[in-house]
Amino acid sequence: AQSVAQPEDQVNVAEGNPLTVKCTYSVSGNPYLFWYVQYPNRGLQFLLKYITGDNLVKGSYGFEAEFNKSQTSFHLKKPSALVSDSALYFCAVRAPGAGSGAGSYQLTFGKGTKLSVIP
Amino acid sequence: NAGVTQTPKFQVLKTGQSMTLQCAQDMNHEYMSWYRQDPGMGLRLIHYSVGAGITDQGEVPNGYNVSRSTTEDFPLRLLSAAPSQTSVYFCASSHDYNEQFFGPGTRLTVL
């Protein structure tokens, strides 16, 4: 079974400082990895994904994430945090090659990390 | 292009009542899914579908039914509502194994 861990329930960072939100995963086969952001009382918005290719992927709003296969990690980063980045962030994984049939489509989410950027 | 739409936005039910949460997408995505979001639990998959006529159970399917008669629509039925089903429900869709697009959610309270 696939799983995702976000070890920090909350991350606090000062505005202008770099931010990192951590994610590790466990799957059979090659992972498809995603980051989503959720603002209060809203649905989830897609930020970026890793499927294949360069380990450093760039996404929306200046965010990027680094895929590290040996550490099974996919940490979300931004060089300079903004107050408007304050939100709930979710990491998610799919493993298309892991199973057969419909089950291989399943997307498993971490429990989320609340990011607070302090002015 | 409306994306993924969900109705209603809010709903209050009494224990034992039934209802259907509606979800529709206009992107011709084959994969659709329903999640519930509870504090500290992240998103948990209830049911999903990989095409019209094909559905399967996710992590927390008990008390919920789904059907997929068209590519566009994927309704979620609560058979006999219980307070434990108080949650925020999200519908999502995707093409192949790519990123999912989420609806705005339905906030359900069961008294």
Side-chain angles (χ1 to χ4, degrees):
Chain A
Q2 58 200 43
S3 64
V4 175
Q6 293 181 242
E8 300 154 319
D9 291 336
Q10 177 144 358
V11 170
N12 298 321
V13 62
E15 186 176 25
N17 282 4
L19 70 86
T20 299
V21 182
K22 295 179 181 177
C23 171
T24 58
Y25 65 90
S26 174
V27 295
S28 299
N30 293 321
Y32 286 20
L33 293 155
F34 305 86
W35 275 102
Y36 289 84
V37 60
Q38 184 181 33
Y39 298 101
N41 300 314
R42 304 288 295 274
L44 275 70
Q45 296 178 31
F46 168 73
L47 276 180
L48 52 78
K49 65 183 177 184
Y50 171 83
I51 293 179
T52 189
D54 288 341
N55 290 342
L56 184 65
V57 294
K58 296 186 184 296
S60 306
Y61 314 121
F63 284 94
E64 58 188 29
E66 186 168 11
F67 171 64
N68 187 317
K69 187 172 184 178
S70 62
Q71 297 187 3
T72 62
S73 66
F74 190 56
H75 301 330
L76 182 70
K77 300 182 179 184
K78 188 174 182 181
S80 179
L82 300 172
V83 172
S84 57
D85 293 330
S86 298
L88 190 56
Y89 290 81
F90 290 97
C91 181
V93 66
R94 261 177 168 159
S100 60
S104 62
Y105 280 83
Q106 287 194 44
L107 187 63
T108 300
F109 284 84
K111 290 187 174 9
T113 298
K114 182 178 180 181
L115 174 67
S116 294
V117 181
I118 303 157
Chain B
N1 197 342
V4 180
T5 58
Q6 291 183 237
T7 55
K9 286 190 169 61
F10 302 94
Q11 184 70 49
V12 179
L13 293 177
K14 295 181 179 178
T15 296
Q17 288 185 315
S18 62
M19 78 160 294
T20 299
L21 307 185
Q22 300 292 344
C23 174
Q25 52 94 7
D26 61 0
M27 297 173 283
N28 202 32
H29 287 164
E30 70 278 13
Y31 182 86
M32 296 186 74
S33 52
W34 277 101
Y35 297 89
R36 58 178 290 173
Q37 183 179 24
D38 302 291
M41 302 291 288
L43 275 79
R44 292 182 292 171
L45 182 64
I46 303 171
H47 285 285
Y48 63 99
S49 169
V50 297
I54 306 170
T55 64
D56 206 348
Q57 297 180 352
E59 180 185 355
V60 288
N62 292 341
Y64 308 94
N65 270 359
V66 292
S67 60
R68 183 110 178 257
S69 56
T70 66
T71 299
E72 294 79 18
D73 300 300
F74 191 43
L76 177 72
R77 297 182 188 84
L78 278 69
L79 309 172
S80 177
S84 60
Q85 294 179 304
T86 293
S87 188
V88 181
Y89 291 85
F90 290 102
C91 178
S93 74
S94 68
H95 170 61
D96 201 9
Y97 296 109
N98 290 306
E99 65 272 19
Q100 292 193 350
F101 293 83
F102 282 80
T106 294
R107 189 174 295 272
L108 176 68
T109 301
V110 182
L111 303 176

